[in-house]
């Protein structure tokens, strides 16, 4: 049974679609690329921004860093607030806390923005640790974020830990850290992506997640 439960943020606890896609659109415009269709930018939700800019637009290192900086220009002012808390999150977190679980956030989003969002929705008190990326890029991958979370929680037994996330990057990051991953299909990855990535379990809603984590 899992004692430590790490939660991804985007697509797992919140719907960040508007803030992320509009900020990516803004960054691309700064780079001379016009993308009017925000839905075409939803693949940026989940993976590190730097990696996604390089993968999708063939940016070199300097261009990718410039795009990330432009993204943060908008996201730091508007984007982090353009977010929706999924229905049932506070009740789910309270149920897990009542069951004696230790909760933490492990997000590829910079910690400063993660903390702002948790405070915005008044769910910060549920978590014993918040692990996010660093603005300088020294911690950016999901595996690095998970490793940081494990250190913050002083975890010794990795079998007692599970990461809950919605994308293949969550599954892969968990695997690299030798912990299990529960995939949620209501985010941005979907059942097929999560299964192909090798998620230990896949659930469709918070009720199913609670049953899995408390049985």
């Amino acid at each position: 049974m899992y004692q430590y439960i790490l939660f991804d943020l985007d697509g797992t606890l919140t719907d960040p679609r508007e803030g992320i896609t509009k900020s990516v659109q803004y960054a691309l415009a700064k780079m001379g690329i016009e993308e009017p269709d925000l839905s075409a930018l939803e693949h940026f939700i989940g993976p590190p921004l730097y990696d996604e800019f390089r993968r999708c637009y063939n940016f070199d290192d300097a261009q990718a860093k410039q795009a990330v900086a432009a993204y943060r220009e908008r996201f730091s002012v508007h984007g982090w607030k353009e977010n929706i808390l999924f229905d049932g999150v506070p009740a789910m977190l309270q149920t897990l806390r009542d069951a004696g679980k230790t909760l933490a956030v492990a997000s590829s989003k910079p910690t400063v923005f993660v903390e702002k969002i948790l405070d915005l929705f008044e769910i910060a008190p549920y978590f014993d640790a918040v692990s996010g990326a660093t603005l300088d890029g020294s911690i950016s991958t999901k595996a690095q974020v998970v490793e940081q979370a494990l250190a913050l929680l002083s975890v010794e037994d990795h079998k007692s830990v599970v990461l809950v996330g919605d994308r293949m990057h969550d599954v892969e990051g968990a695997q690299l850290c030798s912990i299990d991953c529960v995939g949620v299909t209501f985010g941005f990855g979907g059942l097929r992506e999560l299964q192909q990535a090798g998620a230990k379990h896949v659930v469709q809603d918070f009720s199913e997640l609670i049953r899995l984590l408390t049985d």
Side-chain angles (χ1 to χ4, degrees), residues 2 162-165 167 170-171 174 179-183 198-201:
Y2 304 115
V162 65
L163 172 67
V164 181
R167 298 297 310 273
D170 298 309
V171 181
I179 68 172
D180 289 343
C181 183
V182 176
K200 180 75 172 182
H201 308 279

Side-chain angles (χ1 to χ4, degrees), residues 168 171-172 175 190-199 202:
M168 62 181 181
V171 181
E172 292 166 354
Q175 291 170 341
L191 177 62
R192 183 176 181 182
E193 176 179 315
L194 293 164
Q195 288 180 332
Q196 288 182 340
V202 179

Side-chain angles (χ1 to χ4, degrees), residues 118-137:
L118 297 180
D119 288 338
L120 175 67
F121 294 123
E122 301 181 345
I123 58 174
Y126 291 106
F127 300 103
D128 290 281
V130 176
S131 176
T134 54
L135 291 173
D136 65 6

Side-chain angles (χ1 to χ4, degrees), residues 4-193:
Y4 301 94
I5 304 171
L6 312 181
F7 284 94
D8 171 49
L9 181 64
D10 295 341
T12 301
L13 298 177
T14 71
D15 180 349
R17 186 187 329 251
E18 180 181 359
I20 289 178
T21 57
K22 286 185 175 179
S23 297
V24 171
Q25 183 185 57
Y26 173 88
L28 290 174
K30 287 267 188 172
M31 301 298 292
I33 300 171
E34 298 299 325
E35 177 49 79
D37 183 7
L38 290 177
S39 66
L41 301 175
E42 290 181 5
H43 57 87
F44 275 89
I45 303 172
L49 291 169
Y50 173 89
D51 295 345
E52 204 68 355
F53 279 123
R54 294 204 66 172
R55 183 182 73 84
C56 298
Y57 296 96
N58 295 315
F59 287 171
D60 60 23
D61 175 69
Q63 290 173 317
K65 288 177 178 176
Q66 184 180 349
V68 170
Y71 171 95
R72 288 176 179 163
E73 281 181 14
R74 186 188 184 282
F75 192 86
S76 64
V77 178
H78 303 291
W80 69 273
K81 293 179 286 189
E82 295 168 330
N83 212 322
I84 300 170
L85 187 69
F86 284 137
D87 289 341
V89 166
M92 178 269 296
L93 296 174
Q94 186 63 58
T95 299
L96 294 175
R97 291 277 295 196
D98 290 345
K101 305 299 181 181
T102 302
L103 310 182
V105 174
S107 170
S108 295
K109 188 185 295 298
T111 301
V112 61
F113 297 136
V114 175
E115 291 175 339
K116 283 177 176 287
I117 292 166
L118 297 180
D119 288 338
L120 175 67
F121 294 123
E122 301 181 345
I123 58 174
Y126 291 106
F127 300 103
D128 290 281
V130 176
S131 176
T134 54
L135 291 173
D136 65 6
S138 59
I139 296 176
S140 61
T141 69
K142 198 68 182 195
Q144 289 174 325
V145 167
V146 170
E147 287 176 354
Q148 181 176 241
L150 298 177
L152 290 171
L153 295 170
S154 300
V155 171
E156 296 182 0
D157 179 12
H158 285 205
K159 292 182 179 179
S160 67
V161 188
V162 65
L163 172 67
V164 181
D166 69 310
R167 298 297 310 273
M168 62 181 181
H169 310 87
D170 298 309
V171 181
E172 292 166 354
Q175 291 170 341
L176 288 171
C177 295
S178 301
I179 68 172
D180 289 343
C181 183
V182 176
V184 296
T185 60
F186 50 77
F188 293 91
L191 177 62
R192 183 176 181 182
E193 176 179 315

